[in-house]
Amino acid sequence: MKISVCGKGGSGKSTIVALLANEARTKGYRVLVVDSDESNSGLFSMLGFDYPPVPLMELVGGKKSLQQKMGKPSVLAESRIVLEDLPPQYLVQKDGLTLVSIGKILQSLEGCACPMGVLSREFLKKLTLAEDELAIVDMEAGVEHFGRGVETSIDSVLIVVEPPLESVNVGQKIHDLASGIGISNVWAVLNKVPSGDIAARLEAELQERQIEVVGCIYFDADVFSSSIDGRMPVKGVAVQEIKDVLNRILAKAGLPAPK
Ligand SMILES: Nc1ncnc2c1ncn2[C@@H]1O[C@H](COP(=O)(O)OP(=O)(O)OP(=O)(O)O)[C@@H](O)[C@H]1O
Ligand SMILES: [Mg+2]
């Protein structure tokens, strides 16, 4: 399964990616996290790595080189990619968890992020997963990645929705765009919810908009305070709540339990 985690800026995408990745790994899946956010650079630390991998953008000769090749069908040389094929500097790994990064905007005036979108799209298209492997993509905020076709070879989209209406509206847009390109597994997870009452209101609102909700992560002070150090808590309420979310996703996607 290739699942893309999307949502409004700051809704908790990276947090949900890190929680899901750790839980899936604990369940016995081999988990590949794809950092497809060209702005934020702290995902490696949230996943417990000491340093980030070299971005895949370097593997294709950097942004300039890719820009010249944009639009041409074969951005990466191979027609299929398995993780083992990537040179070691392009991934960081431990305990069944692997992180790859597409690329980061490093300088002012270096141009738009379209080449990163092309590389994300091509990498995800060619990425071939084994049965016990899950790819979880930490997407950039908002909806622009749909315009770049990053989701064309993604089979599931998880929308992170927090209570404010703007977050719900962005979630709706993502839902419609994902459904519009034929992705059948499009779900929402509620995040940073302060009370059961607000969870019920938010869920009712999403139901009204025909957006299926696969779970709720309440506002968790442990998650928030760990973020001051760029880390994720290893236990706490959110770590428990994500178990249900993952179980529902796996059941809905009809995924077999790993051996
Ligand atoms: N369930 C939660 N409880 C408490 N704090 C949370 C929760 N989820 C996320 N946060 C906090 O909200 C902030 C934003 O989270 P995060 O970086 O995961 O969002 P994001 O959607 O990835 O942001 P961006 O759009 O910048 O990539 C962080 O400080 C994080 O710790
Ligand atoms: Mg993020």
Side-chain angles (χ1 to χ4, degrees), residues 14 37 40 138:
S14 302
D37 179 341
N40 297 311
D138 187 14

Side-chain angles (χ1 to χ4, degrees), residues 9-15 17 35 37 40 43 46 138-141:
S11 57
K13 298 174 293 297
S14 302
T15 301
V17 165
D35 183 354
D37 179 341
N40 297 311
L43 187 62
M46 290 171 80
D138 187 14
M139 212 40 98
E140 60 170 300

Side-chain angles (χ1 to χ4, degrees), residues 12 28 35 40 45 83 89 100-101 141 151 153 177 184 190 214 220 238:
D35 183 354
N40 297 311
S45 166
L83 273 190
Q89 64 271 34
V100 301
S101 166
E151 268 81 0
S153 51
L177 288 166
S184 48
L190 316 182
V214 287
D220 181 341

